Amino acid sequence: MVERLVDRLRSIVGARHTADLRPRQLDDWRRLLAECAEAKGGEVSTRTRAAALAQTYLGLDDEGRHAFLRLISLEFGPEPARVAEAHAAYQAAVGMAAQWDAEADLRAALRSARIRILTQFNAIPQGVKFLVDLRADLLRYLEDDAELAPLDRELESRLAAWFDVGFLELQRITWNAPAALLEKLIEYEAVHEIRSWADLKNRLDSDRRLYAFFHPRMPMEPLIFVEVALTDRLADNVQALLDEHAPVFDARRADTAIFYSISNTQAGLRGVSFGNFLLKRVIDDLQRDFPKLRQFATLSPLPGFASWLRKNPQELAADLPDAELGALASGEWARDLATARRINEGLAQLAARYLTLAKASRGDGRLPLDPVARFHLGNGARIERINPLGDASAKGLKQSIGVMVNYLYDLDELEHNVENFAREGAIANSAAVRRLARPKQVQ
């Protein structure tokens, strides 16, 4: 029976390219999706049907995938008549013994066929990864197709539940990990490119740590990972930190842990947040292994800094009146000591104002414009120090004019900082950063 069903499904869902999508093909998809939502034929048949549909989706070109997702989004929502009837029954039952049954009926009416289809996809082999990748496609199409929003909202909600931090596993990754997993780290590193196997080995040496969150259904796919350097100081330069030829530091002497790279790896999990839990779990793990650790800090980029200067030339003119943004991004000025000293002073002041005063246009206008600042400040860190020329790479100069920031995680202040940031948008920062951010006094 199952074999006959598979053969029938293959003949029905075999179109691979947009040119092959005839109205009859869409009708076949529509019928199969409806059968998935209804669990027609029992559990085995439903899983087989869902697996065949998933295989078909993966074989489609980009336009075909878009059409497939539009079909689910537009035609498999809640039934308006059923919702209206259930809502009327609930309103009539409020305050009576039947209220709770009516509430359950209303909740069932609001549960769309889309959710039932997504749940069937989730249950197939590799179903979780399939849905994560499907949402990555969905987010791309959503930029130009607002009618996909209902499907995206429901899929994001499902993924948030399935990827709850309670289900995730924290693992330390070492040089002895499977080669396939190490290759994923090289592919997914989003902050400081891993240039070679020697570079990766250096990042996994005895004075380094790399931790990742995994989902049990995606055991070889890190969801997010953080790279840590164990040192005896607050690091101010990422090139020095990643120098493959530098001597290995004796980790037993370390009093500081520097988080220098945090990479989200799955585009389809955008909006599903677990980075804050990762850092807290990593800090706990490090404290257990290295009781002498006293400081936990980052060495972070300012990914929106150059863009902000481009849009606010008056800010650049205030501190570096003779500078041109393109020339600054080239890094040529850093070769002359006197010029570098003058420009670094101006960049530090500009960066302090950018971090403490520039606000995001979305939301209530209190959150910092810089996404990395929003992340760390929202987790309770404070802006501790600004490091001009902390990243002299081409990428660092292009996005941050080379400036990097230390966000300090003071464990005694975390809760207080989180509450103030959430309630008032208050930005915790050191006295040194506050001095840099002050307007210049008119002479």
Side-chain angles (χ1 to χ4, degrees), residues 319-335:
D319 286 291
L320 294 170
D322 300 325
E324 193 272 325
L325 191 58
L328 289 176
S330 73
E332 292 293 327
W333 51 271
R335 298 181 180 182

Side-chain angles (χ1 to χ4, degrees), residues 2-171:
V2 173
E3 289 78 7
R4 289 199 301 273
L5 177 61
V6 170
D7 290 339
R8 183 172 71 87
L9 291 173
R10 284 174 178 167
S11 67
I12 290 175
V13 300
R16 298 181 63 84
H17 302 290
T18 304
D20 300 324
L21 295 180
R22 305 288 187 265
R24 181 178 176 181
Q25 186 75 49
L26 294 175
D27 286 341
D28 288 335
W29 285 2
R30 187 177 291 111
R31 184 175 70 257
L32 289 168
L33 288 166
E35 290 174 358
C36 259
E38 297 164 7
K40 186 175 181 179
E43 184 176 336
V44 174
S45 295
T46 300
R47 295 292 185 270
T48 303
R49 191 178 291 109
L53 281 166
Q55 184 177 10
T56 297
Y57 177 85
L58 293 175
L60 291 169
D61 63 11
D62 215 44
E63 290 184 53
R65 292 186 179 192
H66 189 180
F68 188 97
L69 295 175
R70 279 184 60 83
L71 188 65
I72 300 175
S73 185
L74 296 177
E75 299 189 24
F76 289 88
E79 299 175 22
R82 184 184 173 196
V83 172
E85 181 181 349
H87 182 260
Y90 172 74
Q91 292 289 1
V94 171
M96 301 169 62
Q99 175 180 344
W100 312 120
D101 288 339
E103 179 185 322
D105 291 341
L106 177 57
R107 190 178 295 112
L110 287 168
R111 190 172 190 267
S112 73
R114 288 187 293 258
I115 290 181
R116 297 196 293 273
I117 292 168
L118 295 174
T119 301
Q120 298 296 352
F121 282 142
N122 179 55
I124 65 177
Q126 305 299 318
V128 173
K129 176 60 174 169
F130 170 75
L131 286 173
V132 170
D133 291 343
L134 183 146
R135 184 163 184 258
D137 289 340
L138 186 59
L139 289 170
R140 288 191 294 108
Y141 306 139
L142 189 60
E143 294 178 4
D144 299 310
D145 187 353
E147 290 185 314
L148 292 172
L151 176 58
D152 179 59
R153 282 193 292 266
E154 290 190 326
L155 181 50
E156 181 181 353
S157 175
R158 292 290 85 199
L159 291 173
W162 294 330
F163 283 83
D164 181 88
V165 69
F167 299 141
L168 305 184
E169 300 171 354
L170 179 69
Q171 295 181 24

Side-chain angles (χ1 to χ4, degrees), residues 135-384:
R135 184 163 184 258
D137 289 340
L138 186 59
L139 289 170
R140 288 191 294 108
Y141 306 139
L142 189 60
E143 294 178 4
D144 299 310
D145 187 353
E147 290 185 314
L148 292 172
L151 176 58
D152 179 59
R153 282 193 292 266
E154 290 190 326
L155 181 50
E156 181 181 353
S157 175
R158 292 290 85 199
L159 291 173
W162 294 330
F163 283 83
D164 181 88
V165 69
F167 299 141
L168 305 184
E169 300 171 354
L170 179 69
Q171 295 181 24
R172 179 190 167 198
I173 300 177
T174 70
W175 183 245
N176 296 320
L181 178 55
L182 297 179
E183 288 177 344
K184 291 285 179 63
L185 299 181
I186 295 174
E187 175 187 352
Y188 288 142
E189 165 60 52
V191 184
H192 303 293
E193 178 187 5
I194 299 175
R195 301 177 301 277
S196 64
W197 285 100
D199 184 4
L200 177 60
K201 188 174 184 180
N202 180 57
R203 301 188 194 203
L204 299 174
D205 216 327
S206 61
D207 60 344
R208 304 299 165 94
R209 292 292 185 272
L210 193 151
Y211 294 90
F213 263 152
F214 290 85
H215 191 280
R217 296 276 303 279
M218 295 169 57
M220 290 297 289
E221 284 283 345
L223 308 177
I224 182 173
F225 61 90
V226 57
E227 298 169 62
V228 187
L230 301 171
T231 74
D232 58 357
R233 60 188 177 82
L234 206 59
D236 60 3
N237 183 280
V238 73
Q239 275 75 45
L241 204 64
L242 296 178
D243 184 1
E244 299 171 29
H245 305 292
V248 176
F249 181 72
D250 183 356
R252 294 171 300 180
R253 295 171 40 220
D255 62 10
T256 302
I258 299 292
F259 307 112
Y260 63 88
S261 179
I262 302 175
S263 297
N264 285 291
T265 69
Q266 308 294 322
L269 291 178
R270 192 174 79 190
V272 180
S273 177
F274 30 67
N276 54 341
F277 295 101
L278 173 67
L279 288 184
K280 291 170 185 175
R281 292 274 299 276
V282 167
I283 287 174
D284 289 341
D285 195 83
L286 290 170
Q287 285 183 309
R288 184 184 65 247
D289 292 347
F290 301 97
K292 293 181 181 179
L293 290 178
R294 295 293 179 266
Q295 282 193 120
F296 299 90
T298 77
L299 183 58
S300 300
L302 289 77
F305 184 43
S307 176
W308 177 73
L309 289 175
R310 191 174 301 110
K311 295 174 183 177
N312 296 274
Q314 74 282 1
E315 296 289 346
L316 183 63
D319 286 291
L320 294 170
D322 300 325
E324 193 272 325
L325 191 58
L328 289 176
S330 73
E332 292 293 327
W333 51 271
R335 298 181 180 182
D336 179 76
L337 187 60
T339 302
R341 185 181 299 113
R342 177 179 60 82
I343 290 180
N344 281 339
E345 180 181 348
L347 286 175
Q349 293 169 328
L350 285 165
R353 291 208 300 278
Y354 165 68
L355 288 169
T356 58
L357 300 177
K359 304 298 181 182
S361 57
R362 296 180 180 179
D364 61 7
R366 297 184 303 175
L367 297 179
L369 176 62
D370 191 83
V372 176
R374 286 199 302 272
F375 175 80
H376 290 297
L377 293 169
N379 288 335
R382 72 168 179 258
I383 307 171
E384 184 67 9

